[in-house]
Amino acid sequence: MQVLGMPGSEFSSALPSKSDGVHLNGTESVDFLVKTNMGQDFKPLKKVASGGELSRISLAISVIDSDSEYTPTLIFNEVDIGISGAVAEVVGKKLKQLSEYYQVICITHLAQVAAFGHQHLRVQKSQDKDGVQTTVTQLSSNERVDEIARILGGATITEKARNAAAEMIGMSV
């Protein structure tokens, strides 16, 4: 969690006894507790973590657990919320590390994360009088460079943005 843009954060778990006796699943429940900043007290994860923090905590647990548990596919959505630059690059590296053991699907809005992908799919929504249609397209190498350049630079893709995107992809290999 420390290298994923959450300095000073800590994760813990507690096993409080259930107040109403024995149940099929035992006499205890499991509480996941987190400190998202230094100096804070541990609080229930479900009450204090944002969507991006939940994704990054899940990523951290998955990286730690990657050599001891078999899960065929991991899906991360909003893993890049509230991060940028160097932290986004670390997230991309961790996702790539996980991809050695699992199929990793990551929905991202950051070029630093997208550059680490093995395959790149573009998801687009369009609306007409009949409703909304979603299209998923697997991108070729050149289309991938253009898409990462679009993420970097916006609607107008310049040669400088293309060069930066190609460099990012090259560095992630």
Side-chain angles (χ1 to χ4, degrees):
M1 291 168 44
Q2 303 297 313
V3 298
L4 295 174
M6 299 174 66
S9 60
E10 295 181 51
F11 181 87
S12 182
S13 59
L15 300 170
S17 295
K18 294 180 182 177
S19 59
D20 55 350
V22 178
H23 293 264
L24 282 173
N25 296 326
T27 60
E28 302 168 317
S29 60
V30 178
D31 292 339
F32 295 117
L33 307 171
V34 67
K35 290 183 186 182
T36 55
N37 296 297
M38 288 191 322
Q40 291 182 335
D41 293 330
F42 279 104
K43 294 182 181 166
L45 177 67
K46 64 184 175 186
K47 291 188 178 185
V48 297
S50 68
E53 289 170 335
L54 285 172
S55 289
R56 284 181 273 156
I57 291 167
S58 174
L59 173 59
I61 292 169
S62 296
V63 169
I64 290 167
D65 210 25
S66 65
D67 62 349
S68 64
E69 181 182 326
Y70 180 75
T71 304
T73 303
L74 299 171
I75 301 172
F76 295 96
N77 186 17
E78 297 184 6
V79 74
D80 57 6
I81 296 293
I83 62 171
S84 62
V87 174
E89 186 177 336
V90 171
V91 168
K93 287 178 181 176
K94 294 296 181 185
L95 289 166
K96 187 170 186 123
Q97 179 184 347
L98 278 176
S99 75
E100 294 176 19
Y101 304 97
Y102 309 112
Q103 175 183 18
V104 175
I105 298 171
C106 179
I107 296 122
T108 184
H109 302 283
L110 290 179
Q112 295 92 331
V113 175
F116 282 92
H118 176 71
Q119 289 185 329
H120 195 130
L121 304 174
R122 180 178 44 227
V123 179
Q124 291 178 295
K125 288 185 181 181
S126 59
Q127 187 169 352
D128 60 21
K129 61 181 169 85
D130 297 326
V132 177
Q133 182 175 356
T134 303
T135 306
V136 179
T137 307
Q138 183 174 339
L139 302 181
S140 68
S141 295
N142 289 336
E143 290 171 324
R144 181 172 184 225
V145 169
D146 284 349
E147 184 64 14
I148 292 177
R150 186 194 61 75
I151 294 170
L152 283 170
T156 303
I157 300 172
T158 65
E159 199 55 38
K160 286 182 181 182
R162 272 192 191 90
N163 291 339
E167 183 179 351
M168 289 177 89
I169 293 168
M171 290 175 55
S172 69
V173 178

